[in-house]
Amino acid sequence: MEQISGKKLPLPPGKRQRKTEMSEGEMMTIMILFHLSHYRTFKDFYCDCILGQFRTDFPKAVSYPRFVALMPDFS
């Protein structure tokens, strides 16, 4: 058997593999703001505050599902 060389398989056509425009600092700031807020769930906080009230402060904010998908890479 041949050994696997550690290369990634190519993505199927139509799949994009792009980096997020949100910086790690912005993601950390959002997490800190959530812990300082009165919201019980992160989803409500993110949708109401980040995508609502603070949209001008976080112009490159991604959607909630995308943010949650990025969290394991962030930590």
Side-chain angles (χ1 to χ4, degrees), residues 3-30:
Q3 286 192 348
I4 299 173
S5 62
K7 294 182 180 179
K8 291 183 178 180
L9 293 174
L11 291 174
K15 285 279 191 176
R16 295 189 291 182
Q17 188 175 21
R18 60 180 173 176
K19 289 189 173 185
T20 180
E21 294 183 7
M22 249 183 134
S23 69
E24 288 184 3
E26 288 175 316
M27 293 177 77
M28 181 60 81
T29 302
I30 290 170

